[in-house]
Amino acid sequence: MKTRKLGTLEVSEIGYGTMSFASTYGASPDRKEAIRVIRGAHDLGITFFDTAEVYGPFTNEELVGEALAPVRGRVIIASKFGWNVDADTGERRPGLNSRPEHIRRAVEGMLERLQTDTIDLLYQHRVDPEVAIEDVAGTVKDLIAAGKVRHFGLSEAAAQTIRRAHAVQPVTAIQSEYSLWTREPEPEILPLCAELGIGFVPWSPLGQGFLTGTISPGARLESSDWRRNFPRFAPEALEANQAMVTLLKDIAAAKGATPAQIALAWLLAQRPWIVPIPGTRRLDRVRENIGAAGIVLNAGDLERIARASAGIEVHGARLPEAILRFSYK
């Protein structure tokens, strides 16, 4: 697989988000199978793997650490701090916590769980309004100087926050939700990344699975699937938003591809420093996602997508309000 640069960090042009191996989309899969899939993704050419302390909490980092231990020197591992997770017990408490002492304790736990001496890319998962971003960036700068972290990133941060953080410690990557049905980063964040030389990592590049075309309007999600709480996955929204899937299917048919591959190829075509991190529990889906890198969307294709998508109203907020309120701070 070809590579791309997030700032100065070189990674595979398509990464792998591992959150789905937590219980986010229903019951967690068998551990041995999860390890097989993660290792299989590396065998297929993926070198960029994303996790977070809050996935579980802790269990996802432990899984990723075990799965990638045999190839640790050949992969880039990103993790995130920032939710209020007890560093000792893993208890999830309300709100955020990016106090410097909490960041330092969180990183020590990450290093142990990920079975590594250094975290390649450390993100603040959400901006904590109670802690100055300069203090957060300064803490990560110290961790970089100590050799425990290599690169600094922010997730779902506002443009002015990114600029302030970057002035203290250069930001390597911004991770925010971005896809054909979530376009919030386009007006301010992507131009700022271009200006400052920061890479961009879209999370949920396939719209929590919706843009794959495999979720029907009448789909019934498991009771433990977090998407049941998402406004876009309400029955009426699923019905209304099928227009976006129809567009992707039309383009896919012309290209001999799948809707998921077109959605990912569209992201890759937006900027040369964009690296999507689709997640899946299945190795055949990993292979399908990687296939997006070989699909060329020409100027005519992109114009057709732009024109058609501009006429599609996306129904429902992208996240529940309890989570959305922490974004773009």
Side-chain angles (χ1 to χ4, degrees), residues 163-179:
R163 193 178 292 279
R164 287 167 53 200
H166 190 75
V168 176
Q169 168 59 44
V171 176
T172 291
I174 299 300
Q175 183 178 141
S176 295
E177 185 175 4
Y178 184 37
S179 67

Side-chain angles (χ1 to χ4, degrees), residues 184 208 229-233 237 314-321 324:
E184 282 89 340
Q208 288 95 31
N229 300 314
F230 285 33
R232 286 188 186 175
F233 283 82
V314 178
H315 291 250
R318 65 187 180 95
L319 291 169
E321 176 55 32
L324 194 59

Side-chain angles (χ1 to χ4, degrees), residues 247-259 261-262 265 291-292 294-302 304-305:
L247 168 61
L248 288 169
K249 286 181 176 179
D250 289 346
I251 301 293
K255 293 288 184 179
T258 66
Q261 288 174 330
I262 297 302
I295 296 172
V296 177
L297 296 177
N298 59 37
D301 297 325
L302 293 172
R304 178 184 174 189
I305 293 171

Side-chain angles (χ1 to χ4, degrees), residues 27-321:
S28 299
D30 176 76
R31 188 177 185 85
K32 289 184 179 179
E33 173 63 10
I35 290 172
R36 185 187 76 87
V37 173
I38 293 171
R39 290 178 178 171
H42 177 259
D43 291 340
L44 290 169
I46 291 177
T47 64
F48 184 38
F49 294 84
D50 183 272
T51 183
E53 65 167 357
V54 77
Y55 301 161
F58 296 171
T59 56
N60 196 255
E61 287 180 321
E62 292 169 348
L63 173 68
V64 170
E66 181 179 350
L68 296 179
V71 294
R72 179 63 187 97
R74 302 194 295 275
V75 296
I76 301 297
I77 298 178
S79 195
K80 314 177 199 73
F81 67 86
W83 293 101
N84 196 10
V85 178
D86 187 288
D88 295 319
T89 66
E91 178 188 357
R92 177 77 182 272
R93 297 168 177 170
L96 304 170
N97 190 344
S98 281
R99 297 192 307 273
E101 63 274 18
H102 185 81
I103 296 172
R104 288 189 286 267
R105 291 193 66 194
V107 166
E108 292 301 326
M110 290 177 182
L111 292 171
E112 182 177 350
R113 292 187 292 272
L114 292 170
Q115 301 184 32
T116 188
D117 296 326
T118 185
I119 299 165
D120 297 304
L121 175 56
L122 180 68
Y123 294 100
Q124 183 187 37
H125 211 154
R126 291 294 188 276
V127 175
D128 186 345
E130 301 300 319
V131 181
I133 195 63
E134 289 83 0
D135 292 341
V136 174
T139 302
V140 176
K141 183 175 184 176
D142 291 342
L143 289 165
I144 291 173
K148 296 181 179 182
V149 173
R150 291 180 58 209
H151 296 270
F152 177 37
L154 297 171
S155 179
E156 297 276 319
Q160 66 271 21
T161 303
I162 297 168
R163 193 178 292 279
R164 287 167 53 200
H166 190 75
V168 176
Q169 168 59 44
V171 176
T172 291
I174 299 300
Q175 183 178 141
S176 295
E177 185 175 4
Y178 184 37
S179 67
L180 265 172
W181 78 342
T182 299
R183 309 289 284 272
E184 282 89 340
E186 291 182 342
E188 295 186 349
I189 304 303
L190 295 184
L192 181 62
C193 286
E195 175 192 339
L196 299 179
I198 299 172
F200 188 86
V201 178
W203 69 265
S204 196
L206 297 176
Q208 288 95 31
F210 181 77
L211 299 180
T212 66
T214 60
I215 300 177
S216 65
R220 298 180 65 86
L221 303 175
E222 289 186 37
S223 59
S224 56
D225 190 318
W226 76 326
R227 293 172 296 183
R228 287 173 65 98
N229 300 314
F230 285 33
R232 286 188 186 175
F233 283 82
E236 62 275 13
L238 285 177
E239 177 69 39
N241 290 329
Q242 288 298 315
M244 189 66 74
V245 173
T246 299
L247 168 61
L248 288 169
K249 286 181 176 179
D250 289 346
I251 301 293
K255 293 288 184 179
T258 66
Q261 288 174 330
I262 297 302
L264 292 172
W266 178 83
L267 280 170
L268 292 171
Q270 299 309 299
R271 302 289 196 285
W273 33 262
I274 284 180
V275 178
I277 50 168
T280 176
R281 296 176 173 182
R282 293 168 43 182
L283 196 55
D284 61 322
R285 294 298 190 198
V286 175
R287 190 174 289 107
E288 176 186 349
N289 292 340
I290 289 172
I295 296 172
V296 177
L297 296 177
N298 59 37
D301 297 325
L302 293 172
E303 172 59 28
R304 178 184 174 189
I305 293 171
R307 187 171 57 251
S309 62
I312 297 174
E313 179 186 358
V314 178
H315 291 250
R318 65 187 180 95
L319 291 169
E321 176 55 32

